[in-house]
Amino acid sequence: MSDRVPSDPTADIPAERAVVDLLGLVALGELLAFERMAADARLAPDLRRRAALGEMAAAEIANYRRLADRLGALGVLPDDAMAPYVAPLQAFHDSTEPRDWAEAVTKAYVGDGITDDFIREIAGALTEPDRRLVLDVLHESRYADFAAAEIRIAIEADPRVANRLSMWARRLVGEALSQAGRVASADLGALTALIARDERADVAGLFRRLTAAHTARMGAVGLNN
Amino acid sequence: MSDRVPSDPTADIPAERAVVDLLGLVALGELLAFERMAADARLAPDLRRRAALGEMAAAEIANYRRLADRLGALGVLPDDAMAPYVAPLQAFHDSTEPRDWAEAVTKAYVGDGITDDFIREIAGALTEPDRRLVLDVLHESRYADFAAAEIRIAIEADPRVANRLSMWARRLVGEALSQAGRVASADLGALTALIARDERADVAGLFRRLTAAHTARMGAVGLNN
């Protein structure tokens, strides 16, 4: 988990509005990830794994609380900050309901990985205390390790699973990108401005970096992108 | 939340087996309550309430972890300790899926209340550190307060709701009692021995006390038993 910062973190102090947008987006992401992981826990083959996914889920809602409290401190109702993102994030989850345990852990692994990379990219443009807060809500690596181990176990038990999960991961990324487009238009540009912090709209570069990191993560568990 | 202890807590040191049974039952109760509350959160009328039920759920899985760790320390696989109770507890939840937000918070209110009363009754028969551990997993009163407030809001908005929720609460208790009978037979008597700790099988007295406390809780939110 590298902790990249831009060469000059004070180069562009983001507008309050963009910070609220970002905190709202991340907060809603945590809330919905919590619900979906908690629901997916029922797909677990035994109670130990079922509880493990439940604990991953619980970590998300704890992060949600920190973000919601910060929004409150900024004088914003968390619900208001999250509202613009409900439709696209809900649509992402609705369109990617895992059918079994292997798909559930792959979704957790892929989703958390990309989310963390995205948050790390954005964090550099924030000022304190928001920068620290946003970096703090990155997922614990033990959860990624758990999900990665479960994917490897599934592939070992039946090597054909690798192909199915690779396609599943591609679908997850495709749906995520499709909804990311809606997020970008929903936020009326404030968030995009935050991404394009050095005055060149480097959204293309952001996607390239996210995709490269995702491909590396896929390879690490025996899946291909 | 009174913290009753029997007059002589050392009168009956429970067998290891009964302690494992009890920890397994409470652990599974926490795990399933977590999943159901997390699922029910989707019924919330807004994101704030949705997150609040999610946080209630997360508290359950944290308790699960403590109980599972204690079982591990006793040399027992948590899954083994929980296994006898999966069918009845799952059946309870499957037969009591809330249809709307008011039913969801009523289920949380009723279920947590009875569970806490039951745990307090049993805790007196345990020795340390299990007694302390089990008392620690009692639900925080702020969650009961939240659920009670939501029930009152629902009744205020439409007084006819009180009748429907009263019937719903009766069904919850009926299903719980029905499954409690299965739990009592599943555990081969060890847990029952723990309940009947002063050598008279006071199961009838236990149910009487649980019912009286439940009736009081119902009245406190404008429902009748």
Side-chain angles (χ1 to χ4, degrees), chain B residues 16-65:
Chain B
E16 189 96 326
R17 167 67 205 281
V19 174
V20 166
D21 281 354
L22 176 69
L23 295 179
L25 171 61
V26 178
L28 184 66
E30 297 282 345
L31 179 56
L32 295 190
F34 159 77
E35 286 182 14
R36 295 313 172 116
M37 278 188 194
D40 295 348
R42 286 190 242 182
L43 298 169
D46 57 39
L47 293 169
R48 182 184 69 79
R49 290 179 167 94
R50 190 162 161 168
L53 199 61
E55 290 181 275
M56 288 178 71
E60 313 268 3
I61 196 93
N63 287 336
Y64 163 84
R65 172 48 49 204

Side-chain angles (χ1 to χ4, degrees), chain A residues 7-204:
Chain A
S7 48
D8 177 9
T10 63
D12 184 6
I13 309 234
E16 189 97 326
R17 167 67 205 281
V19 174
V20 166
D21 280 355
L22 177 69
L23 295 178
L25 172 61
V26 177
L28 184 66
E30 298 282 345
L31 179 56
L32 295 190
F34 159 77
E35 286 181 15
R36 294 313 172 116
M37 279 189 193
D40 295 349
R42 287 190 240 182
L43 298 168
D46 57 40
L47 293 169
R48 182 184 68 78
R49 290 178 166 93
R50 189 161 162 169
L53 199 61
E55 289 180 276
M56 288 177 72
E60 314 268 3
I61 197 94
N63 287 336
Y64 163 82
R65 171 48 49 205
R66 296 185 60 184
L67 294 156
D69 286 348
R70 173 64 181 153
L71 283 164
L74 290 170
V76 179
L77 279 178
D79 280 32
D80 292 344
M82 295 189 285
Y85 309 113
V86 171
L89 266 67
Q90 191 84 56
F92 168 73
H93 285 294
D94 288 347
S95 64
T96 56
E97 277 212 35
R99 282 167 310 172
D100 60 18
W101 176 243
E103 289 190 359
V105 290
T106 301
K107 181 173 173 180
Y109 179 74
V110 168
D112 285 0
I114 293 180
T115 302
D116 285 358
D117 285 344
F118 175 74
I119 290 174
R120 250 183 248 111
E121 287 273 352
I122 300 292
L126 293 172
T127 53
E128 299 299 352
D130 299 304
R131 183 175 175 277
R132 187 70 258 158
L133 170 62
V134 161
L135 287 174
D136 275 355
V137 307
L138 295 177
H139 298 85
E140 285 185 47
S141 57
R142 68 188 165 106
Y143 294 135
D145 293 345
F146 168 78
E150 291 297 314
I151 296 169
R152 290 193 196 98
I153 288 169
I155 294 173
E156 205 160 294
D158 179 2
R160 287 169 306 177
V161 166
N163 194 42
R164 178 164 70 85
L165 292 182
S166 295
M167 291 199 308
W168 169 242
R170 259 170 268 157
R171 196 151 87 70
L172 291 170
V173 172
E175 294 287 349
L177 284 180
S178 157
Q179 298 306 330
R182 289 180 65 191
V183 165
S185 55
D187 88 331
L188 306 169
L191 201 60
T192 316
L194 196 61
I195 295 172
R197 57 183 178 260
D198 53 2
E199 310 214 352
R200 289 168 292 122
D202 194 20
V203 176

Side-chain angles (χ1 to χ4, degrees), chain B residues 4-15:
Chain B
R4 281 161 294 183
V5 293
S7 48
D8 177 10
T10 65
D12 186 6
I13 311 239

